C-alpha cells in the first residue's frame, strides 16, 4: 500500500494512487493524486512549473534559481519562504515571534495497525491499514512536523493527520495546523459545500472556483448548521473529497493560484490557537480524503463505506435501525406516565419498534432543568422505570432524550456549581433558549455528568439515547489555561463523555442531535450511530437536506421522520405518502400524536411500516446514487450485488415536467440483464381524484419487465404528467411535490 523508492513515496488504494517525492532540497513535493498507477515512471513527468521564471516571485535559494515555491505543489512548504498561498502550518516561535519555518525531510516510518495519534480524538479504526509518518524538521527552531497518511487495503479513502512537535527550548504558539493540505495540479473546479442554518442544514451549493481564496468555516463551537466540514471539488472528469473527523469549529478552503488548487481542511484558526511548550506535541483531528474519476456518486459511496467500516460504533454499524416514534412534535412538553403509556399502545399497534421519550420528561418547559437529569415526579410518580417496563412489555425498545452539555440557571446544578457554567470573567454570558454551556473542559464536570447519566440509562433500561446540543458557543473562557484552546478542549470533553457512555453501553443505539442537524460530521459518527437530520420534518424541505447529507454520510446515519401535515415548521400541506417516500431513505421514524390518527391514517402508516421493514436493508444499508438532482429528483439505493434497488422519484415542480418526457433511469442496472420494475402501492388522497373514485384509494399495481440497457441508458418512459384529473398505473408522480418509490429487481 505504501512504498518509497528513489525518494518517491507512493500510496496505493484499490483504485487510486497518491504520489509525492522529497526534492533535492528536502521538501515534500506533491506529484500526483488520481487513478491507480501501475508504474510511477520518472518524477519529471509530474513536476509542476519547474524552470519557469516569474519576475517578483521568490526563488528558494541562490543555488535554485528556478525553484519558485509559489508555483509548486507541496505536502507542506514554509511558511515564510516564498509560497504565497495559505498553508498547512502557521506559528510563532520564541520571544521574538519567529514566523519563518522551512520544514525539510528528516525521515519516515510505516506503521501497521497504528495506534491513535491522540486517543482523545474520535477513533478511526486502522485495522489492516498502513500509516506513513513523514517527519520534517525546521532546523533553526527544532520544530518538527509529522505528516500522517493512512492507507487501507479495501478503501479508496486515505486518512490524513498532522502533528507538531516542539523540540526546542522556547514556546511555540500554533496559529494554524490543518489536518491536510492537498495540492492539485489543475484549476477550473467547482467546489461543492453543504451549508445552511437551522431547519435547512447541508443544502448542496456548487460554486465555480476562480483565482483566489474560497473558504467555509464554523465558529459556532459545533461543526454547525451553517457549514458542514465536508468539501468536494469536481470538474467533468475528476472529483476530490475532504471530510473532517471533527465536531467543533473548522475551516475548509480551496485556493487557486498560478493554475493550481490548494485544499486545506482543519481546525478554524480564527477561533483556535495553541501554546506548545518545549517537549510538547499537538495532533490535528483526522481528515478523510478521496478521489474518483468515476463521478461524485462513487466518491460518496466510498466515503459511506469507510464511515461504516472504520468510524461507526461496532454494534450498529451494519445493523438495520428500528423504526421509531419520537414524542417531540406530537407531545412536546406534555409528557407523563399516563400519556406515554397511551401513546405506546398506539405506537406498538402500528408496528413501530422503538418509543423515544424526548424533551419534557424532567421539566415543564425549556426555562429550567438542564443539568439535573431527574425525572419530574409530578409527571412520573413511579419513576421512569415504570414507563420503560411498559414500553418493553409492548415489544418495543425504549429511548430517552438528554442534552448533557448544557446548564439552566433554574437548576439544582447551577445553584450548587455556578462556576460550571462557561463564562468570561467580568461579563454576563449570553443565553440561547434560556440555557448556557456547561464547562466540559473541566474533568470534574465530565465525571459528574457520567455519574448522573450512567444510572439514568442503566437503571431504567434505555436501549436508545438521543443526545442533543441546542446552542452555539459564546463567552469562551478556559479556566487556568489559554482561552484560544477552549473550543478545542470543549469538543474533546464532548468526546470524552460520549466515549465513556459508549464503553459502558456498547449496545446502546445513540442518535446525535444539535437543534436538528447542527453537528452532523464524521467525528460525531464515531460515537453516534445516527444523527437527527434536521428539525425541519417537512419532506419537501428535507429533499435538499437528504441530497446534501448523502454526499458525505451513509443513509443509515440520517435520522428522518414522518410528521403532522400541515407541517409545524413550514405550514406546508402535502401528502403522507410523499412524507414516507422521502423519509424512507434514512433511519426512519414517525414524530406525531399517534393517538390522534384517523382509521385511514392508521391503515396508511401500517402499510408504510410493513413496506419499510421489507426493504429496510436497501433504504438503510443500500448503495446510494443521486441519479437526478433537478426536476425530477431521483435517488436510488441498491443492494451490494446490484440485483435490487429502491428508487425515489420526486417532482418538486410539476408544471415544468409538462415540457419533458419523464423517464426512469437507473444507471446501476446491468445492460445484459432484464429487470422487473414495480412501484410501492401508495394511497391516493388528492381531493379531486378522491372525489372521482369515492375517497382515498390505493393506486393500481404496476409492473413492467424492462431491459437493463434501457434503464441504464435512455430510461424507461413514464406517463408524462398528472394533470390533476386523471392518472394511470405508470404515472410518475402524483401532483406537485408528489413522489413514488419504484422497486427494481433483476430477473433471475
Ligand atoms: C431540539 C431537537 C428537537 C427536540 C427539541 C427538544 O430542537 O432538535 O428534535 O429534541 O430540541 O427540546
Amino acid at each position: 500500500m505504501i512504498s518509497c523508492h528513489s525518494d518517491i513515496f507512493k500510496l496505493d488504494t484499490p483504485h487510486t494512487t497518491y504520489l509525492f517525492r522529497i526534492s533535492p532540497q528536502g521538501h515534500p513535493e506533491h506529484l500526483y493524486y488520481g487513478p491507480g498507477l501501475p508504474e510511477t515512471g520518472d518524477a519529471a513527468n509530474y513536476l509542476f512549473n519547474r524552470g519557469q521564471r516569474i519576475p517578483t516571485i521568490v526563488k528558494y535559494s541562490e543555488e535554485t534559481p528556478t525553484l519558485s515555491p509559489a508555483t509548486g505543489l507541496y505536502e507542506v512548504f514554509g511558511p515564510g519562504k516564498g509560497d504565497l498561498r495559505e498553508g498547512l502550518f502557521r506559528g510563532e516561535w520564541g520571544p521574538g515571534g519567529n514566523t519563518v519555518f522551512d520544514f525539510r525531510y528528516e525521515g519516515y516510518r510505516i506503521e501497521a495497525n497504528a495506534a491513535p495519534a491522540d486517543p482523545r480524538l474520535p477513533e478511526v479504526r486502522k485495522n489492516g491499514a498502513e500509516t506513513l509518518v513523514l517527519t520534517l524538521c525546521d532546523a533553526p527552531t527544532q520544530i518538527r512536523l509529522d505528516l500522517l497518511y493512512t492507507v487501507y487495503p479495501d478503501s479508496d479513502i486515505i486518512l490524513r493527520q498532522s502533528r507538531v512537535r516542539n523540540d526546542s527550548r522556547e514556546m511555540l504558539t500554533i496559529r494554524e495546523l490543518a489536518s491536510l493540505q492537498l495540492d492539485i495540479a489543475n484549476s477550473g473546479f467547482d467546489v461543492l459545500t453543504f451549508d445552511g442554518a437551522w431547519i435547512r442544514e447541508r443544502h448542496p451549493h456548487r460554486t465555480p472556483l476562480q483565482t483566489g481564496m474560497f473558504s467555509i468555516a464554523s465558529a459556532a463551537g459545533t461543526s454547525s448548521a451553517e457549514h458542514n466540514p465536508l468539501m468536494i471539488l469536481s470538474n467533468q472528469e475528476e472529483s476530490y473529497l475532504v471530510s473532517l473527523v471533527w465536531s467543533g469549529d473548522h475551516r475548509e478552503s480551496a485556493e487557486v493560484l498560478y493554475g493550481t488548487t490548494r485544499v486545506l481542511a482543519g481546525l478554524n484558526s480564527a477561533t483556535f490557537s495553541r501554546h506548545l511548550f518545549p517537549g510538547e506535541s499537538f495532533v490535528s483531528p483526522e481528515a478523510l480524503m478521496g478521489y474518483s474519476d468515476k463521478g461524485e456518486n462513487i466518491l460518496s459511496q466510498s466515503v459511506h463505506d469507510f464511515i461504516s467500516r472504520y468510524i461507526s460504533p461496532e454494534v450498529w454499524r451494519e445493523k438495520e435501525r428500528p423504526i421509531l416514534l419520537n414524542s417531540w412534535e406530537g407531545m412536546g412538553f406534555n409528557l407523563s406516565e399516563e400519556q406515554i403509556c397511551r401513546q405506546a399502545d398506539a405506537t406498538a399497534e402500528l408496528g413501530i419498534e422503538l418509543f423515544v421519550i424526548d424533551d419534557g420528561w424532567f421539566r415543564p418547559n425549556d426555562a429550567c432543568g438542564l443539568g439535573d437529569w431527574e425525572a419530574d415526579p409530578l409527571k412520573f410518580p413511579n419513576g421512569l422505570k415504570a414507563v420503560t417496563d411498559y414500553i418493553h412489555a409492548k415489544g418495543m425498545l425504549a429511548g430517552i432524550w438528554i442534552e448533557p452539555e448544557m446548564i439552566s440557571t433554574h437548576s439544582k446544578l447551577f445553584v450548587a456549581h455556578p462556576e460550571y457554567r462557561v463564562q468570561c470573567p467580568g461579563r454576563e454570558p449570553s443565553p440561547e433558549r434560556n440555557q448556557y454551556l456547561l464547562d466540559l473542559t473541566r474533568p470534574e464536570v465530565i465525571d459528574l455528568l457520567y455519574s448522573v447519566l450512567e444510572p439514568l440509562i442503566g437503571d431504567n433500561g434505555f436501549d436508545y439515547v438521543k443526545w442533543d446540543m441546542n446552542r452555539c458557543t459564546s463567552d469562551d473562557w478556559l479556566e487556568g489555561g489559554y482561552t484560544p484552546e477552549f473550543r478545542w478542549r470543549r469538543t474533546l470533553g464532548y468526546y470524552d463523555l460520549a466515549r465513556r457512555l459508549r464503553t459502558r453501553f456498547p449496545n446502546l443505539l445513540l442518535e446525535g442531535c444539535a437543534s436538528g442537524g447542527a453537528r452532523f460530521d464524521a467525528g460525531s459518527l464515531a460515537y453516534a450511530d445516527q444523527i437527527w437530520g434536521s428539525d425541519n420534518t417537512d419532506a419537501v424541505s428535507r429533499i435538499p437536506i437528504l441530497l446534501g447529507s448523502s454526499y458525505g454520510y451513509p443513509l443509515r446515519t440520517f435520522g428522518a421522520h414522518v410528521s403532522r401535515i400541515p407541517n409545524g415548521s413550514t405550514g406546508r400541506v402535502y401528502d403522507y405518502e410523499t412524507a414516507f417516500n422521502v423519509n424512507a431513505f434514512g433511519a426512519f421514524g414517525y414524530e406525531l400524536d399517534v393517538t390522534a390518527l384517523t382509521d385511514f391514517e392508521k391503515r396508511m402508516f401500517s402499510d408504510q411500516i410493513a413496506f419499510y421493514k421489507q426493504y429496510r436493508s436497501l433504504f438503510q444499508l443500500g448503495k446510494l446514487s443521486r441519479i437526478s438532482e433537478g426536476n425530477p429528483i431521483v435517488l436510488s439505493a441498491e443492494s451490494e450485488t446490484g440485483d435490487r434497488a429502491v428508487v425515489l422519484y420526486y417532482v418538486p415542480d410539476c408544471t415544468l415536467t409538462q415540457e419533458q418526457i419523464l423517464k426512469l433511469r437507473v444507471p446501476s442496472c446491468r445492460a445484459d440483464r432484464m429487470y422487473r420494475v414495480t412501484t410501492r402501492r401508495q394511497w391516493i388522497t388528492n381531493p379531486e381524484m378522491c372525489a372521482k373514485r369515492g375517497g382515498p384509494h390505493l393506486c393500481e399495481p404496476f409492473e413492467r419487465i424492462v431491459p437493463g440497457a434501457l434503464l441504464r441508458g435512455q430510461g424507461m418512459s413514464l406517463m408524462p404528467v398528472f394533470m390533476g384529473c386523471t392518472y394511470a398505473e405508470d404515472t410518475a408522480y402524483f401532483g406537485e411535490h408528489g413522489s413514488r418509490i419504484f422497486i427494481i429487481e433483476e430477473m433471475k
Side-chain angles (χ1 to χ4, degrees):
M1 289 181 268
I2 300 175
S3 60
C4 175
H5 296 296
S6 326
D7 287 340
I8 295 184
F9 288 89
K10 184 164 182 271
L11 280 50
D12 286 312
T13 74
H15 305 101
T16 72
T17 295
Y18 188 95
L19 217 60
F20 63 88
R21 73 152 189 173
I22 305 303
S23 74
Q25 294 73 35
H27 299 119
E29 276 185 315
H30 181 80
L31 299 179
Y32 173 87
Y33 189 25
L37 293 175
E39 285 186 45
T40 310
D42 195 312
N45 296 335
Y46 307 89
L47 288 170
F48 194 72
N49 271 0
R50 263 306 162 90
Q52 190 181 19
R53 286 168 191 261
I54 304 176
T56 79
I57 293 301
V58 167
K59 311 300 173 290
Y60 177 65
S61 66
E62 293 200 346
E63 293 72 46
T64 59
T66 60
L67 176 58
S68 308
T71 62
L73 303 181
Y74 296 98
E75 300 302 300
V76 64
F77 192 93
K81 293 295 297 173
D83 187 346
L84 302 177
R85 296 157 292 188
E86 288 188 17
L88 179 127
F89 172 81
R90 206 156 42 79
E92 289 145 30
W93 174 83
N98 168 92
T99 56
V100 178
F101 297 84
D102 185 13
F103 291 108
R104 291 202 269 170
Y105 179 71
E106 197 173 65
Y108 78 94
R109 62 178 192 276
I110 296 172
E111 294 174 10
N113 310 316
D118 183 343
R120 297 170 301 177
L121 292 169
E123 188 189 356
V124 182
R125 293 182 284 274
K126 301 192 173 59
N127 38 310
E130 281 180 5
T131 301
L132 167 67
V133 183
L134 183 78
T135 297
L136 309 161
C137 180
D138 177 58
T141 61
Q142 286 297 296
I143 300 298
R144 288 192 166 73
L145 197 55
D146 294 328
L147 303 182
L148 284 68
Y149 305 78
T150 301
V151 185
Y152 292 77
D154 52 4
S155 175
D156 285 322
I157 298 297
I158 295 176
L159 195 59
R160 303 275 310 261
Q161 193 169 30
S162 323
R163 173 170 50 212
V164 182
R165 290 187 275 143
N166 185 353
D167 294 328
S168 77
R169 294 177 176 203
E170 305 288 349
M171 189 177 79
L172 171 74
T173 302
I174 300 170
R175 297 287 183 206
E176 171 90 63
L177 181 67
S179 301
L180 69 76
Q181 171 172 316
L182 168 61
D183 279 4
I184 304 174
N186 292 308
S187 56
F189 295 98
D190 282 346
V191 63
L192 255 156
T193 54
F194 305 91
D195 323 282
W198 178 67
I199 67 172
R200 54 181 175 89
E201 299 89 341
R202 295 177 303 291
H203 282 213
H205 294 119
R206 216 174 268 270
T207 314
L209 288 175
Q210 311 286 352
T211 295
M213 170 60 86
F214 173 96
S215 72
I216 51 161
S218 168
T222 57
S223 49
S224 91
E226 285 76 17
H227 300 288
N228 194 264
L230 169 71
M231 187 186 254
I232 294 173
L233 265 62
S234 268
N235 61 21
Q236 296 294 327
E237 290 88 33
E238 299 182 291
S239 315
Y240 303 82
L241 171 146
V242 296
S243 176
L244 204 60
V245 189
W246 182 248
S247 311
D249 287 0
H250 59 89
R251 181 168 185 261
E252 291 71 34
S253 64
E255 185 173 5
V256 178
L257 194 69
Y258 290 117
T260 69
T261 308
R262 171 169 295 171
V263 177
L264 295 169
L267 297 173
N268 182 357
S269 54
T271 59
F272 167 80
S273 59
R274 172 89 158 89
H275 283 158
L276 211 58
F277 294 96
E280 286 188 334
S281 63
F282 177 76
V283 181
S284 77
E286 294 183 280
L288 315 182
M289 175 178 85
Y291 167 88
S292 175
D293 60 349
K294 307 253 170 344
E296 291 165 3
N297 280 322
I298 297 295
L299 207 49
S300 295
Q301 287 166 9
S302 86
V303 77
H304 295 171
D305 183 63
F306 185 88
I307 288 174
S308 301
R309 262 193 293 164
Y310 296 109
I311 296 185
S312 292
E314 289 282 359
V315 172
W316 284 95
R317 63 192 185 89
E318 296 286 342
K319 226 161 111 175
E320 295 177 19
R321 275 73 165 140
I323 301 173
L324 66 80
L325 183 282
N326 179 292
S327 69
W328 179 243
E329 287 201 19
M331 292 162 249
F333 287 99
N334 180 25
L335 297 181
S336 64
E337 179 178 336
E338 191 250 311
Q339 156 85 313
I340 288 176
C341 293
R342 257 186 337 114
Q343 295 278 345
D345 291 344
T347 303
E349 260 172 45
L350 290 170
I352 291 174
E353 301 155 320
L354 161 63
F355 189 99
V356 179
I357 304 169
D358 207 281
D359 196 355
W361 58 268
F362 60 99
R363 58 177 178 173
N365 55 49
D366 67 9
C368 58
L370 296 171
D372 293 345
W373 308 116
E374 290 166 4
D376 181 339
L378 295 175
K379 296 179 173 187
F380 298 97
N382 304 307
L384 288 173
K385 182 74 169 50
V387 179
T388 54
D389 283 348
Y390 191 86
I391 294 170
H392 286 146
K394 288 270 151 196
M396 294 184 291
L397 303 172
I400 188 124
W401 177 96
I402 54 172
E403 197 184 352
E405 298 158 71
M406 297 294 154
I407 186 164
S408 311
T409 45
H410 293 286
S411 66
K412 289 192 220 161
L413 182 62
F414 187 73
V415 172
H417 289 290
E419 74 281 11
Y420 286 178
R421 173 173 72 164
V422 171
Q423 55 198 73
C424 180
R427 297 168 201 276
E428 196 51 36
S430 298
E432 156 50 19
R433 210 191 185 205
N434 312 306
Q435 63 194 58
Y436 299 87
L437 290 171
L438 259 181
D439 189 354
L440 297 192
T441 67
R442 295 171 184 251
E444 66 272 28
V445 171
I446 306 288
D447 288 346
L448 181 121
L449 286 168
Y450 182 81
S451 73
V452 176
L453 298 175
E454 192 277 336
L456 172 73
I457 300 165
D459 295 353
N460 294 304
F462 283 110
D463 312 286
Y464 160 109
V465 164
K466 177 176 170 191
W467 176 319
D468 208 342
M469 200 295 189
N470 278 321
R471 58 160 288 169
C472 297
T473 298
S474 68
D475 300 282
D476 301 31
W477 178 253
L478 185 62
E479 186 61 33
Y482 176 58
T483 295
E485 295 172 15
F486 169 76
R487 289 168 181 231
W488 169 72
R489 291 188 185 277
R490 207 206 76 80
T491 306
L492 294 181
Y494 153 57
Y495 293 144
D496 186 18
L497 181 61
R499 187 179 303 115
R500 286 175 67 177
L501 287 170
R502 278 247 70 124
T503 308
R504 166 71 182 82
F505 301 109
N507 296 322
L508 192 74
L509 179 61
L510 187 67
E511 178 148 359
C513 178
S515 304
R519 194 163 60 185
F520 206 122
D521 54 74
S524 289
L525 286 172
Y527 308 98
D529 305 288
Q530 56 196 53
I531 300 178
W532 180 221
S534 174
D535 276 352
N536 193 335
T537 53
D538 177 338
V540 173
S541 312
R542 275 291 184 126
I543 284 280
I545 303 176
L546 167 62
L547 281 174
S549 307
S550 78
Y551 275 88
Y553 308 102
L555 284 174
R556 75 201 74 163
T557 66
F558 180 72
H561 303 168
V562 168
S563 69
R564 243 310 152 212
I565 297 173
N567 183 267
S569 301
T570 64
R572 195 181 337 253
V573 178
Y574 60 109
D575 77 290
Y576 281 115
E577 294 290 44
T578 285
F580 171 79
N581 291 345
V582 172
N583 287 304
F585 288 77
F588 176 66
Y590 291 83
E591 192 160 334
L592 37 66
D593 181 354
V594 278
T595 63
L597 299 180
T598 63
D599 286 345
F600 167 63
E601 286 168 347
K602 279 188 207 157
R603 167 87 198 272
M604 180 169 43
F605 290 175
S606 301
D607 288 353
Q608 294 175 349
I609 288 164
F611 178 84
Y612 189 77
K613 287 178 180 169
Q614 194 183 345
Y615 291 98
R616 171 163 35 196
S617 63
L618 294 175
F619 286 125
Q620 293 187 355
L621 312 180
K623 266 201 279 179
L624 181 101
S625 297
R626 294 168 298 268
I627 297 170
S628 159
E629 291 179 65
N631 199 43
I633 281 163
V634 187
L635 296 179
S636 76
E638 64 182 84
S639 63
E640 196 50 47
T641 58
D643 63 341
R644 285 186 342 141
V646 282
V647 179
L648 169 68
Y649 201 96
Y650 166 85
V651 176
D653 183 342
C654 81
T655 56
L656 276 178
T657 61
Q658 301 206 20
E659 303 150 14
Q660 303 168 358
I661 299 173
L662 288 187
K663 301 219 184 55
L664 179 66
R665 275 190 70 243
V666 187
S668 59
C669 288
R670 287 178 53 170
D672 59 347
R673 300 290 156 97
M674 295 297 288
Y675 292 84
R676 176 184 294 108
V677 179
T678 53
T679 56
R680 178 171 93 81
R681 287 193 73 191
Q682 65 192 58
W683 286 91
I684 310 299
T685 50
N686 175 287
E688 280 195 56
M689 294 163 76
C690 289
K692 288 200 178 84
R693 301 221 192 166
H697 52 280
L698 273 178
C699 67
E700 278 87 354
F702 167 88
E703 177 174 337
R704 282 208 201 137
I705 307 301
V706 188
L710 178 64
L711 280 169
R712 59 174 289 131
Q714 174 180 313
M716 174 190 102
S717 69
L718 296 170
M719 178 173 165
V721 70
F722 162 57
M723 313 293 270
C725 54
T726 185
Y727 72 96
E729 63 275 11
D730 60 348
T731 297
Y733 63 96
F734 299 100
E736 183 93 339
H737 306 310
S739 62
R740 297 202 78 166
I741 286 179
F742 289 91
I743 301 139
I744 320 284
E745 284 156 310
E746 189 185 305
M747 307 279 290
K748 299 288 178 198

